[in-house]
Amino acid sequence: MPYTGHCHCGAVTFTVAADAPTDAMTCNCSHCHAKGLVLTFVPADQFALDSGADHLTDYHFYKHAITHQFCRTCGTQPFALGQSASAPMRAINLRCVPSIDIDTLTITKVDGASF
């Protein structure tokens, strides 16, 4: 069943053509930790940006391997663009998906600060 998400102000909306995840990850790198991101990853072809492309701005840091996408209006990061070993991926910030209860997810902690 697809799920949808949006930035805080609602200018950026997206749909993921997959079942809602039951697990997610958090990372202690300086970026994820400061933002409080709770992430799941989906193949790029399961992700659709429904509105707000003109509201997005990019942020890169460290190796510049991930394109963090922020709403220019509210500053929320609803997703990021990246690459797995074999295909383009999207990192979905599950805090931007109203139908997902973060407290019910199995969370894997990643030590991104050590990368």
Side-chain angles (χ1 to χ4, degrees):
M1 181 90 144
Y3 59 94
T4 61
H6 55 81
C7 66
H8 186 259
C9 72
V12 176
T13 64
F14 63 88
T15 300
V16 177
D19 290 335
T22 57
D23 57 346
M25 62 146 293
T26 60
C27 175
N28 66 355
C29 77
S30 59
H31 180 78
C32 291
H33 179 77
K35 294 290 185 182
L37 300 176
V38 176
L39 300 169
T40 192
F41 298 85
V42 299
D45 63 0
Q46 291 182 349
F47 176 87
L49 179 61
D50 299 323
S51 67
D54 57 332
H55 284 266
L56 290 170
T57 190
D58 298 345
Y59 176 69
H60 296 92
F61 73 106
Y62 188 50
K63 295 181 181 179
H64 294 217
I66 299 170
T67 302
H68 299 274
Q69 300 271 272
F70 291 89
C71 174
R72 292 179 195 262
T73 303
C74 66
T76 304
Q77 178 181 329
F79 62 92
L81 315 176
Q83 180 76 29
S84 74
S86 61
M89 298 292 287
R90 298 296 177 259
I92 308 300
N93 179 5
L94 293 175
R95 293 194 184 275
C96 293
V97 179
S99 64
I100 294 180
D101 181 356
I102 300 294
D103 293 331
T104 65
L105 299 173
T106 300
I107 303 292
T108 299
K109 295 180 179 182
V110 174
D111 184 15
S114 296
F115 291 176

